[in-house]
Amino acid sequence: KQEVTQIPAALSVPEGENLVLNCSFTDSAIYNLQWFRQDPGKGLTSLLLIQSSQREQTSGRLNASLDKSSGRSTLYIAASQPGDSATYLCAVTPRGAGGTSYGKLTFGQGTILTVHP
Amino acid sequence: DTEVTQTPKHLVMGMTNKKSLKCEQHMGHRAMYWYKQKAKKPPELMFVYSYEKLSINESVPSRFSPECPNSSLLNLHLHALQPEDSALYLCASSRTDRRDEQYFGPGTRLTVT
């Protein structure tokens, strides 16, 4: 059974710091990995999607890497801002037998990020 | 436009009520999803619709009844809910149900009294 772990559970940094969020998964048989952010009481905002054949994706100050063989992904946030404060979730789409896992995201527990001025 | 809309934003219902949640997208996506999220937990998948057909039901109790009237709309009919069903209900969509990016709506905050 696929399990996704995110470390650390919470992180507090001063504004302007570069930071890294970690995500690990137990089964390398995945279609893709997606990073989301969630503000309190709100829906999820998709940040980056990395297909299993890709090594990294970039969007603005965000860079996500994927090492499928070791079951790890990192989300790098450059020059953090107070507006980056949110919960960050990673999720994988497992490659199940017979296509039964299509669309079934498996989420980590999230990292709560606080960026203080 | 990558918007998924959900109505209502908030819903309070008694255990004997019948209500419905609505989700809509106009991105031409052919896969739509319902998730349930409890406080401080990640979302849990409930249902997946692919090309308007139910493809995954994660053993959800029958008091939750999904419906996909067309490729843009997804409903979740609620009946005889329990207080423990109180949660944030999230809808998502993706181009297909295979390795595509999922886009989430803002959610409906449901309270069962």
Side-chain angles (χ1 to χ4, degrees), chain B residues 96-112:
Chain B
T96 71
D97 63 354
R98 307 185 179 204
R99 70 185 78 188
D100 293 312
E101 191 169 3
Q102 290 193 23
Y103 296 90
F104 281 75
T108 293
R109 173 69 61 189
L110 174 67
T111 303
V112 181

Side-chain angles (χ1 to χ4, degrees), chain A residues 62-74:
Chain A
L62 305 180
N63 176 276
S65 67
L66 174 64
D67 185 342
K68 198 175 65 165
S69 61
S70 67
R72 293 180 184 174
S73 176
T74 60

Side-chain angles (χ1 to χ4, degrees), chain A residues 6-114:
Chain A
Q6 291 187 245
I7 294 173
L11 182 63
S12 180
V13 300
E15 182 176 5
E17 271 205 10
N18 302 325
L19 57 98
V20 174
L21 306 181
N22 296 292
C23 173
S24 62
F25 46 96
T26 54
D27 188 341
S28 61
I30 62 170
Y31 284 117
N32 57 45
L33 184 145
Q34 198 166 351
W35 281 95
F36 298 91
R37 71 170 277 169
Q38 186 174 30
D39 295 297
K42 306 292 186 184
L44 278 66
T45 299
S46 177
L47 298 174
L48 290 164
L49 171 75
I50 312 177
Q51 299 292 356
S52 60
S53 58
Q54 298 175 321
R55 297 285 290 182
E56 66 177 327
Q57 284 284 347
T58 298
S59 176
R61 294 183 294 110
L62 305 180
N63 176 276
S65 67
L66 174 64
D67 185 342
K68 198 175 65 165
S69 61
S70 67
R72 293 180 184 174
S73 176
T74 60
L75 179 66
Y76 175 83
I77 302 177
S80 58
Q81 303 169 357
D84 295 330
S85 299
T87 297
Y88 289 79
L89 293 155
C90 74
V92 299
T93 302
R95 187 190 298 270
T100 55
S101 69
Y102 288 152
K104 289 179 66 170
L105 289 177
T106 301
F107 284 89
Q109 295 294 311
T111 294
I112 302 171
L113 173 65
T114 303

